[in-house]
Amino acid sequence: MATPGSRPSTTATPVRRLAGTSGEAGSQEALRPRLVLFGDSITEWSFRPGGWGAALADTYSRKADVVVRGYSGYNTRWALFLMRRVFSLDGLPPVATTVFFGANDAALLGRSCERNHVPVVEFKENLRAIVNHLKVCSKSMVILLITPPPVDKDGRERFARSLYGYNPSWLPERTNEMAGVYAGKCIELAKEMGVHCVDIWSKMQAVEGWQKLYLSDGLHLTPEGNALVHKEVVGTLRGARLRAEVMPLDFPHHSKIDAIHQERSFQ
């Protein structure tokens, strides 16, 4: 299971407000900074019990809002139609964004999920377009690419049989080798564009028995797989100066509220 994040400090600090608000009664609510998770089903399901997104929200509790923008079955080609709506140039940009695509792009042609397939060269250029858009949204945003996870062929076969029964002609729609090709392009792009990258494909396979330890159906994550993603994302964010333990609370800790003159604590 994911390790609970750091607890809030007790230092009361000024709150962040929407641009154009006065801070007076009736104005818009104060904002926490946002961490946006953009990706496919592995991101969409990250707030399920034991998920890496839920663990991230716990780590940054009262420090930042973790916003999930995950779309099951999506590839980077379809993500391009979403990015300008998810990341508007008119709104307040997130302080950090994870981009976690590739598992669907790497689906094989001629197999059951070929409609999700995106050629690897196009995959890399689609990621480049997403990163470029995020950089236009904010010059200071922390951008973190996450490679697709490895694929356990036997796990995918067992999963398919559980859904459709035994079919000797059924072939896995993904392979670990192809996932590795897409992971490599993700890493290449991160280096080219000077953004962060977590190589989940390699990190998972460094552990013996990764197939069952980290993957529930040969592709999606177990609680242990989610915990690994959470650990790597938090480590990267900490390295980019988004350390939860030193980030300000949005409002004073309850122990710092003046019980006699409460209003003074919120000025």
Side-chain angles (χ1 to χ4, degrees):
M1 297 299 289
T3 302
S6 304
R7 304 312 335 155
S9 66
T10 58
T11 303
T13 55
V15 296
R16 186 180 179 189
R17 297 186 181 278
L18 280 168
T21 62
S22 64
E24 298 174 354
S27 66
Q28 290 177 283
E29 291 293 327
L31 286 179
R32 301 171 186 171
R34 291 185 303 138
L35 308 177
V36 176
L37 316 182
F38 187 42
D40 53 34
S41 58
I42 302 175
T43 296
E44 180 179 342
W45 300 351
S46 69
F47 261 66
R48 290 182 175 182
W52 65 276
L56 199 63
D58 179 65
T59 298
Y60 288 91
S61 177
R62 288 192 59 187
K63 305 298 184 72
D65 286 329
V66 179
V67 180
V68 178
R69 293 294 180 265
Y71 302 88
S72 179
Y74 271 60
N75 54 36
T76 54
R77 183 182 293 164
W78 301 337
L80 294 181
F81 291 96
L82 305 180
M83 67 180 184
R84 289 179 177 81
R85 299 185 184 187
V86 174
F87 304 97
S88 171
L89 296 177
D90 298 328
L92 187 67
V95 294
T97 297
T98 62
V99 181
F100 198 172
F101 287 98
N104 295 308
D105 300 68
L108 301 177
L109 291 173
R111 307 286 174 89
S112 60
C113 291
E114 69 175 350
R115 68 189 298 270
N116 302 96
H117 173 79
V118 172
V120 69
V121 173
E122 181 187 344
F123 166 73
K124 182 177 178 181
E125 293 310 306
N126 291 344
L127 282 182
R128 188 188 307 277
I130 293 170
V131 171
N132 275 329
H133 180 71
L134 294 175
K135 288 188 172 186
V136 171
C137 289
S138 170
K139 294 180 180 179
S140 61
M141 184 193 309
V142 176
I143 301 171
L144 172 55
L145 304 184
I146 306 176
T147 71
V151 173
D152 173 28
K153 178 182 176 182
D154 291 340
R156 292 307 289 166
E157 289 179 345
R158 288 193 299 272
F159 175 71
R161 285 197 296 270
S162 72
L163 290 180
Y164 311 116
Y166 180 74
N167 183 348
S169 66
W170 187 88
L171 294 172
E173 81 285 20
R174 294 170 174 84
T175 66
N176 193 38
E177 293 74 19
M178 186 60 71
V181 172
Y182 283 71
K185 291 300 180 182
C186 184
I187 295 167
E188 282 181 16
L189 181 73
K191 292 178 179 177
E192 290 174 12
M193 302 198 72
V195 299
H196 301 276
C197 184
V198 171
D199 181 8
I200 290 296
W201 187 82
S202 296
K203 289 184 180 296
M204 285 188 171
Q205 292 182 84
V207 177
E208 186 175 357
W210 60 269
Q211 296 91 335
K212 293 183 175 61
L213 177 64
Y214 292 140
L215 304 175
S216 64
D217 59 3
L219 177 65
H220 296 95
L221 308 181
T222 62
E224 291 80 9
N226 276 283
L228 177 62
V229 174
H230 169 256
K231 175 184 175 182
E232 295 298 328
V233 169
V234 169
T236 303
L237 294 178
R238 285 176 58 84
R241 299 183 180 180
L242 289 175
R243 298 168 56 198
E245 66 269 25
V246 299
M247 292 173 67
L249 293 174
D250 54 353
F251 288 104
H253 189 270
H254 67 85
S255 64
K256 298 298 181 180
I257 296 175
D258 186 328
I260 305 301
H261 304 287
Q262 292 93 337
E263 69 281 357
R264 295 177 181 176
S265 302
F266 298 96
Q267 291 175 350

